[in-house]
Amino acid sequence: MLEEAVTKAQADYTAANPLSFKSYQDACQHMPGGNTRTVLHSSPFPLTFQSGARATLTSLDGHQYVDFLGEYTAGIYGHNNATIRAAIDEALSNGWNLGGSNVYEKRLAKMVSERFAPTMELVRFTNSGTEANMCAIATAMAWTGRKKVLVFSDGYHGSTIGFSASAESMNLPHEWVIGTYNDVAETATLLEEIPPESLAAILVEPMLGSGGGIPGSAEFLRYLRHTATECGALLVFDEVMTSRLSYRGLGHKLGIRPDLMTLGKWVGGGMSFGAFGGRRDVMEMFDPRTGNLRHAGTFNNNVVSMAAGCAGCRILDENKIDRLNDMGERFRHSVEVVLFKHGLGEATTKHSSSSDYANGGQVSSSDVKTARMEMWISGIGSILVIHFGGTGKDLFQVLFFHHMLQESIYLAQRVFMALSIEITIQDIEHFVLALERFVMKYKSLISNVGF
């Protein structure tokens, strides 16, 4: 029955999107699978968009969708923010590829270091979150003279630093030590098995982003801070995604200060951007006057990203960040109400929400786990993920994805969502009603999943 429902949904989708299908077929002639960014593929083929305005996307076939994906967190400003556009136009009017320092990079560095204080004492820019995490790891290895890096299953730190069991690895050949996220006891045992003074860094997301919107428990993250200090490793918080969940980042909200932190594209106004930074004594290794580390990159300070970042950081002041994340919390609660109403929410497992962090993060690792539920939602603030349980979970994701497209809502096929500042309360209400229609239509299938 589930397979039949998916087959019908995909057939209807194909019939409704002939121009996107043709575009996909043409792309397959020149790119493997018609794709140059794996996460954007969806079955049976992805939509091709011709334009975006505010929180609305328009496909080649003329269909319009409310965008709940938000470019996997990078699109927090919507699709054509006038302030960012004006900043880019002004920067380009004075030329680009200058081959030297420009006024925008200095402004943005000041804004970033002040915003993410006290962690970000000194900062350097890159072109992506992947680059930022690569550089943070290299920095830790240079600082400590060690080679091992503790990471966690389902963590994602970029295209060359990912630890999902569902995909073939393209990882850099570092000496990875892979632990279980939110498991203090298992991590402690794992570290006892490696040679002393061999760990260079602990790289962790305060909340798993691509790994399913699973918040890190306060117990777990504080254990990592203590462990890094005790063994002389550097604690690196990957806040490429989570830095938008609080004005100074999620780690600061929890009260944990890493040695280094990394940032991603939303800080660059949604353009190509990344950043890494932290402790002054560590980052001074990059000072060309006195340090011994070189960090190159033609576009590290490109005027488009620098100018857009300055504009974006002014737009997203503390009040606007708080309002967006409060909307996300209300959204998550509304979804939970619908699931509970239809008998899918009774077994909801407690997880860290933004309110838990605001109250000091008193959540233990045993509270944060995947339960044997049919359907549930996880996340913090404006980053949310809807999950399905049982052996048919992948097919349910596909079915939900196509149902929401029919409801004029766009999200990731894996049901990842990142709200933008252009999303309205009316958009949230529309989503919740569309979700309830999905539950009502497929409740018998959802309730009979096997574990």
Side-chain angles (χ1 to χ4, degrees):
M1 290 290 291
L2 176 57
E3 292 83 356
E4 293 174 1
V6 170
T7 298
K8 182 180 185 306
Q10 292 187 335
D12 292 343
Y13 170 83
T14 301
N17 296 283
L19 296 182
S20 282
F21 183 45
K22 177 63 165 56
S23 176
Y24 169 70
Q25 289 178 311
D26 292 344
C28 286
Q29 302 303 310
H30 309 287
M31 295 184 288
N35 179 275
T36 191
R37 184 182 173 198
T38 303
V39 74
L40 297 185
H41 181 75
S42 58
S43 57
F45 59 89
L47 293 173
T48 297
F49 294 114
Q50 63 179 351
S51 65
R54 300 179 71 90
T56 300
L57 293 166
T58 302
S59 73
L60 281 182
D61 293 279
H63 305 308
Q64 292 192 327
Y65 305 89
V66 180
D67 180 15
F68 275 77
L69 176 56
E71 185 57 296
Y72 291 90
T73 74
I76 194 170
Y77 305 98
H79 298 293
N80 61 346
N81 184 276
T83 301
I84 292 177
R85 173 62 185 268
I88 293 172
D89 288 345
E90 178 189 355
L92 291 178
S93 70
N94 293 313
W96 55 93
N97 290 359
L98 304 180
S101 297
N102 60 72
V103 297
Y104 301 105
E105 69 194 270
K106 299 168 179 63
R107 296 174 190 169
L108 184 57
K110 183 175 187 293
M111 296 172 79
V112 169
S113 61
E114 290 179 350
R115 183 183 191 122
F116 296 104
T119 295
M120 195 72 81
E121 293 179 340
L122 292 175
V123 63
R124 290 185 74 87
F125 298 138
T126 67
N127 295 284
S128 68
T130 300
E131 281 188 29
N133 283 313
M134 289 167 56
C135 288
I137 291 170
T139 302
M141 293 173 67
W143 177 258
T144 63
R146 304 171 183 177
K147 294 184 177 181
K148 294 188 183 298
V149 181
L150 175 62
V151 292
F152 298 93
S153 54
D154 293 324
Y156 180 81
H157 310 282
S159 59
T160 57
I161 318 172
F163 302 94
S164 170
S166 63
E168 193 73 23
S169 172
M170 271 183 44
N171 284 346
L172 294 168
H174 289 309
E175 294 184 16
W176 305 112
V177 179
I178 305 175
T180 300
Y181 195 75
N182 273 329
D183 193 327
V184 171
E186 192 265 3
T187 302
T189 300
L190 189 64
L191 291 178
E192 289 174 357
E193 296 172 353
I194 69 173
E197 299 185 2
S198 64
L199 188 67
I202 300 173
L203 176 61
V204 65
E205 300 164 90
M207 178 184 76
L208 291 178
S210 297
I214 307 300
S217 73
E219 176 193 7
F220 176 67
L221 296 174
R222 287 172 181 159
Y223 164 76
L224 296 181
R225 172 66 280 175
H226 173 76
T227 298
T229 302
E230 286 291 303
C231 73
L234 296 189
L235 177 63
V236 183
F237 273 2
D238 176 351
E239 295 227 39
V240 168
M241 288 188 175
T242 61
S243 53
R244 53 176 276 164
L245 298 180
S246 180
Y247 182 71
R248 299 190 187 280
L250 194 53
H252 183 271
K253 189 165 188 176
L254 183 56
I256 300 175
R257 182 177 176 179
D259 300 296
L260 298 174
M261 71 183 296
T262 59
L263 303 171
K265 300 172 187 69
W266 79 262
V267 182
M271 303 298 124
S272 297
F273 178 85
F276 69 103
R279 281 171 42 186
R280 179 175 297 273
D281 58 342
V282 174
M283 293 300 294
E284 281 178 343
M285 290 193 297
F286 293 99
D287 188 330
R289 301 167 300 178
T290 59
N292 59 358
L293 289 186
R294 299 184 64 185
H295 166 226
T298 301
F299 296 110
N300 288 351
N301 66 333
N302 76 86
V303 296
V304 172
S305 297
M306 299 296 102
C310 290
C313 287
R314 283 192 293 268
I315 292 167
L316 287 178
D317 59 22
E318 191 163 5
N319 288 334
K320 187 156 288 187
I321 282 285
D322 287 346
R323 286 198 301 272
L324 178 63
N325 287 303
D326 287 345
M327 177 186 287
E329 288 297 310
R330 294 195 297 273
F331 178 30
R332 182 169 59 86
H333 175 70
S334 296
V335 170
E336 289 173 338
V337 167
V338 169
L339 298 180
F340 183 81
K341 173 183 174 182
H342 292 278
L344 301 176
E346 295 92 333
T348 300
T349 296
K350 181 180 178 182
H351 63 276
S352 303
S353 69
S354 62
S355 59
D356 293 316
Y357 280 92
N359 293 325
Q362 298 302 320
V363 182
S364 71
S365 59
S366 61
D367 290 323
V368 187
K369 56 190 176 182
T370 301
R372 289 164 63 88
M373 293 182 288
E374 297 93 344
M375 187 175 180
W376 72 99
I377 185 169
S378 67
I380 296 173
S382 59
I383 300 178
L384 300 161
V385 181
I386 291 175
H387 303 263
F388 294 89
T391 56
K393 60 184 180 181
D394 293 339
L395 286 176
F396 274 118
Q397 287 180 339
V398 174
L399 187 60
F400 185 77
F401 171 71
H402 285 291
H403 172 86
M404 297 308 273
L405 288 178
Q406 291 177 341
E407 297 273 4
S408 300
I409 291 170
Y410 182 69
L411 36 61
Q413 182 169 288
R414 66 186 190 214
V415 203
F416 178 97
M417 297 171 286
L419 307 184
S420 76
I421 59 174
E422 298 290 357
I423 291 287
T424 66
I425 293 296
Q426 291 72 30
D427 295 329
I428 298 291
E429 292 171 347
H430 172 49
F431 186 104
V432 173
L433 289 173
L435 177 139
E436 184 161 26
R437 285 190 282 269
F438 173 85
V439 171
M440 293 172 65
K441 184 175 183 179
Y442 298 109
K443 183 177 178 179
S444 61
L445 294 178
I446 298 171
S447 298
N448 290 307
V449 298
F451 288 92

